[in-house]
């Protein structure tokens, strides 16, 4: 079986597409969630009277 070479992606005008990773960890909303997620989860569980699903905590 022969491998298929990946073709570089192109914009509609034919120019190569350049991808640059966004850096969400450097944004204020990301840092706020990171700093306060544990408190939010604990308070939400106290209000509801039950644990949040694990997938919610994981996210």
């Amino acid at each position: 079986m022969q491998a298929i070479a990946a073709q570089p992606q192109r914009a509609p005008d034919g120019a190569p597409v350049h991808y640059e990773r966004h850096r969400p960890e450097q944004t204020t909303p990301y840092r706020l969630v990171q700093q306060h997620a544990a408190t939010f989860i604990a308070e939400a569980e106290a209000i509801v009277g039950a644990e949040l699903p694990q997938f919610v905590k994981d996210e």
Side-chain angles (χ1 to χ4, degrees), residues 9-14 16 24 31-32 35 37 39 41-43 51 58:
Q9 291 188 348
R10 301 258 174 208
D13 66 357
R31 284 182 282 202
L32 285 171
Q35 291 171 0
T39 302
I41 290 170
E43 289 183 12
E51 283 195 34
D58 292 344

Side-chain angles (χ1 to χ4, degrees), residues 2-33:
Q2 188 175 19
I4 299 173
Q7 297 294 321
Q9 291 188 348
R10 301 258 174 208
D13 66 357
V17 174
H18 172 74
Y19 172 77
E20 187 171 328
R21 182 183 174 274
H22 294 262
R23 297 196 174 13
E25 65 279 358
Q26 295 177 356
T27 65
T28 300
Y30 185 97
R31 284 182 282 202
L32 285 171
V33 169

